[in-house]
Structures are given as structure tokens and as C-alpha cells.
Amino acid sequence: MCGIVAYIGHREAYPVILKGLKRLEYRGYDSSGVALINNGLRVFKKQGKVAELEETLVGKDLHANIGIGHTRWATHGEPCDRNAHPHVSRSGKLAMIHNGIIENYMQLKQDLVKKGYEFTSDTDTEVLLNFIDDIHSNNGGELEEAIRIALKRVVGAYVIVVIDEDHPDTLIAARKGSPLVIGIGKGEHFLASDASPIIEYTKEVVYVNDYELAIIKSDELILKNLGNEKITPFITKLDMELAAIEKGGYDHFMLKEIFEQPNTIFDCLRGRLDAANGSITMSGIQQYAEQLTTASRIIIIACGTSWHAGLIAEYIFEEVTRIPVEVEYASEFRYRNPIVNKGDVIIAISQSGETADTLVAIESAKEKGAIILGVVNVVGSSIARTSHAGAYTHAGPEIGVASTKAFTAQLAVLTMMALKIGYLKGTLPEKRYMHLLTELNDVPEKVGAALLNKENIERIALKYKDATDALFLGRGYNFPVALEGALKLKEISYIHAEGYPAAEMKHGPIALVDNKLPVFFVATKDSFHEKVLSNMQEIKARKGKIIAIVSEGDDAANSLADDLIVVPYADELIAPIINAIPMQLIAYYIGVAKGYDVDKPRNLAKSVTVE
Ligand code: AGP
């Protein structure tokens, strides 16, 4: 996620901003920049790490007591120098940094182009800045008034900080949906996305709320709403230490990212899913709708957790589009001399967008004439750039090595793709289509509800933390969820675990069952429910320890399971996103209980860039 830092006061602004940006590096980014005012506006920005930006500035005159800085996590426009922030208005007087997504930026851009505006970047930020600039130059009033007018007309999430060469004593900031903290110093103020760049200077902070605007001088902070009414700033005292703040108060990035999922899934759906009007807007998919609706088969290529997302997508795509789907481990596909025909549709799923096995696999398929659609989290990554089109998952940077929020965002994107294609093809009846859109729209809330289980899940995790083996079982859409649960447990707690279709147990693996073996059943209400209960009976008969994930209101498993984890009911096609949550938490709590580094498990890397 982007990071913002700003300063005004008696210190040199540049060192404060630079150090602050380094404190925000944990948020993940691809570019950085600073803007300073001293005898004019000066902007320095580039793709790459903050340290690389710092290197280019050695020896330059960076004296200033006011400045803004930014680390960019690309959402609109590839990572490159010209898309980095701060952006500068056409007038050359204003510089702005922004964290968030302006959803109606294309409309605003078209209006500005008609007025003769030209743009140097592909970003929504530059559009918003020039929208402000246009209002400011036409109204002739205060800059803060122009910002207020502009923000009333934008749709989306933002935190912005603007500086004006003609008013070098003032920072103007505003927020809606993205975080902004103001540090109150003596004759100085600090702004940042979170408290980590601020805490070493002051523990007195103001958390700016949505639809609030801050006009900040070195010795004055004025807070207003968009109706220009003054608001009394509520000053609180930070009681956290720096290290904790970077994790947003969570003990680990993995836990933070698990709990971010209601928001990250919402962000993934936002601007795309309109359940009320029955529409799914995915420009990257729309341009290949013809090829997708007429495809004779779809090949999904991925690794690890992303491969599990692909397995769930296989069930969904085949159900609603009736197109045969094959899911391939990238490493196997690449070296098997696969049959790839011109026009075959390949969906590459990857959080990092840099997994070598997946990248190499799609490069070879592309050479054979296949159409590559990427479902990727990192904007501008190699897999994204190699794909003909696709859809970003917008889960924000995933710092924990174990993929959690990226996995559920992948499922949200893949589900939207399948529903869109099924509806276009006419293989998904309108009534079911509308029902599934509503079900998908309800997922963020249901994931939030599933997370409320955390104490019960932690209790269960502690009960089985000393197991040496575990099984994860499910059927239908829940079978790949079982596989994902097994992988999470393996990679986080180092306990050997296997996932199976529940009905497969009688073909051999049931020999493993004894009165010590924990068997996790993903047994939410679906069309396989009766059969899963029978499979549960088979395990119980052999004294296996059963932990069942069940739907709210379904007590069918109560007499069979030793432990129950209750999650909100959802249509079976949508349920995997919700059912993944307990899987993630079980692995997390066991890993922590065993004293392991759950953010950086042994032997693992976040991005496997070697084949
Ligand atoms: C996920 O928990 C694992 N860390 C790993 O399996 C990962 O999913 C796999 O390496 C693929 O990575 P990608 O999604 O970045 O391509």
C-alpha cells in the first residue's frame, strides 16, 4: 500500500521525510519521491527503493522546512519514474501525494483533456491534482476551497497532501478511506500514513477522519469538514512502540493480513461488482470476452496457494461456463511439452507476479499462440506484463510469506471472471447469476464474521499444536480449501499435513487414522453435505480427532466432531473464500504457539524467482 509522509516546522524537512519513508517501506512499494519548497517547488522521484532515490539526491541543495514524500504501491499505471509521486499540477505550482484509488478518474481526465490539460503519467493522482488545479485557477479562491470542491466530486478512497509554491508555509491534507495521522510537535507538524514515521518526534497525534480536511502550518492545525465547518482536533497519545506500529498493532504481519481481508476483498470487488444492477466490470477481461466465451478449454497455471485458488476456479468456471478447465502446476506444465493450441485461454494466477515457474510456463504458452490472462497482485510485475490482459487483485502488499489475503482476493477475482463469462455465454441463468452476485457482495461482511471466531480457533489450535501429522478433508468446492489448509499448516507450523477429497480416504489414507490424528473437515452446508457427514462417520469410527468447519445453524456434525468452527453460510460456489479463514488462523496460532517465525517460515521465500 502507498505510504505518505509530510513535514512542516523548524527542522530540515528532507531528512525527516526520508527517514519516514524508510519507516513505511514495510507497506510494500515500487517507487518513491519527495517534493520540497524553498525558493520554489522542487520534486525528486524515481522507481525503485527509497535508498536509490536518496543516492540520486546526494550533493543537491535540499534545504527546506516544508515537504512531502511518498512510497508508491502501483494501482493505476506501471511502476516507473513518471508514475511515481509527488505529481505536479499543470500550473507547476502545486505538488501532491496520494494513497488510495480515485474510481471516477477517467471521467475527470476526459473533462480535463477537453480543457487542454495534458498528462505526464497514467495515474489517477495526477488527474485529481489537475482537477483541483483547474478549479483553483477558475475560482481564484483559496486552494483549500478548490480541494474541498474537488473532493466532493471524486468517487473512491484517498489521503492527499498538497503543497503550493505560492504558500510555502502551509500543508493541506484530506482523507477518505485511507489512513492519515498528524503528529503534533512544538512549532512543527508531521503527517504520515501511520504513526511509525512520527513516534520518534512526538507521541501526540490526531487521527484524521473521513471527509476531513487539515490546513497545517508549523504552529497551527485547523481541521474542517468538506462543508468548511471547523472541527476540534482530538489529540491522543500514542502508547505503542515503533516495531508494533508497523504491524498495525498486530503481533505479526500474517495476522494483520488475515484480519485485513474484509477490507481487501471489498477493495477487490469495488468498482467491479455491482450486485444491485447485476453487472461485473472488468476491462481487462472484457477485451477478451469473445475468446473466453468461445474457448474450447481454459488452462489455469499457478503454484502453491495460487494453484489452490486455480482448483477452486476450475469448479466455478466449469459450473457456470461449462468450459472444460485444466489446472496445472506451472513447473510440471512447463517441462511436459504440453499441448497448447492457438487461441487457448490460459489464466496465470500469482500474488508476486514473479514466480519463475509460472512466468516461464506462460511465456512458452504465449509463444504457441495462447491468450494469457493474469490474476496478479503486484502491479507491473513480470507475469502481469507478460499477460495479454487480466485483473489485479488489489490486496495490497502481502508481507507475510504465507499467502492469505492474496488468496481470498484471487478467489474474488476468479469468481467475478467466471460469473461474467457464464452470464455472457448464457450458461448461467439470470436468477442464479443475480443470486451469486449478491452472495459475492456479502463476502467481506461474512469474512469479518468468520474472523470473530478467533478465540475459539486459537483454543482449538493450542489443543492440537503438538500433533505430528494432520489431515484436511473436503468435497467439491471445499476440497481445494482442504488442500490450502494443509499447505498453511505445513508452511507455518512445520507439521506434516495432507489434504484429500473426503471420499478418497477409504482408498488408502484412512490407514493413517488413529486416536491421535487431528482430521480437519471443511464441512459447510453444500450439495455434498450428507456425503461429507458419512466420511466424518468413517473417521470417527476409527477414533480420529475431528475438527469440523460448519455453517451457522447446521448442527449435523455436532455429535461427530470433537471441535467445531462455525462460519457464516454462503452458497457453495462462494463459500471457499470464507472457509479459508479458519484454515489460515489454525496455522497461524499453532505456528505462534510453537514459537516459530510465522512471517518468515524456515526455507521459504515470499517470491520464488528460481525455477
Ligand atoms: C503460499 O502460502 C506460499 N507461500 C506459496 O505456495 C505461494 O503461493 C507460491 O509460491 C506462489 O506464489 P505466487 O502466488 O506469488 O506466484
Side-chain angles (χ1 to χ4, degrees), residues 214-289:
I215 301 96
I216 304 154
K217 298 181 187 299
S218 52
D219 55 0
E220 183 185 54
L221 164 60
I222 297 172
L223 217 47
K224 295 184 176 179
N225 61 24
L226 293 187
N228 200 19
E229 293 151 341
K230 279 197 175 182
I231 298 164
T232 306
F234 178 66
I235 298 176
T236 54
K237 207 156 177 63
L238 289 173
D239 60 5
M240 281 179 182
E241 292 315 314
L242 182 59
I245 279 175
E246 288 178 349
K247 299 187 180 85
Y250 289 98
D251 291 341
H252 301 95
F253 283 112
M254 183 179 174
L255 190 61
K256 176 171 175 257
E257 287 153 9
I258 289 172
F259 277 83
E260 279 179 342
Q261 289 177 108
N263 293 332
T264 50
I265 295 166
F266 178 79
D267 285 345
C268 182
L269 299 174
R270 182 170 54 179
R272 291 166 163 165
L273 175 65
D274 181 348
N277 294 311
S279 72
I280 294 172
T281 307
M282 301 179 91
S283 53
I285 304 306
Q286 190 60 46
Q287 66 190 76
Y288 284 91

Side-chain angles (χ1 to χ4, degrees), residues 292-334:
L292 273 160
T293 50
T294 57
S296 55
R297 67 173 177 164
I298 293 173
I299 303 170
I300 296 177
I301 295 177
C303 301
T305 287
S306 297
W307 185 79
H308 295 149
L311 280 181
I312 293 168
E314 174 186 11
Y315 284 71
I316 298 173
F317 267 91
E318 291 198 342
E319 167 69 18
V320 301
T321 70
R322 310 313 294 160
I323 300 171
V325 176
E326 296 161 28
V327 184
E328 299 275 358
Y329 277 119
S331 54
E332 287 300 306
F333 180 80
R334 166 77 178 84

Side-chain angles (χ1 to χ4, degrees), residues 303-306 349-352 355 401-403 487-488 491 608:
C303 301
T305 287
S306 297
I349 307 171
S350 176
Q351 186 288 125
S352 62
T355 299
V401 165
S403 189
L487 176 61
K488 282 285 153 308
E491 65 178 336
V608 184

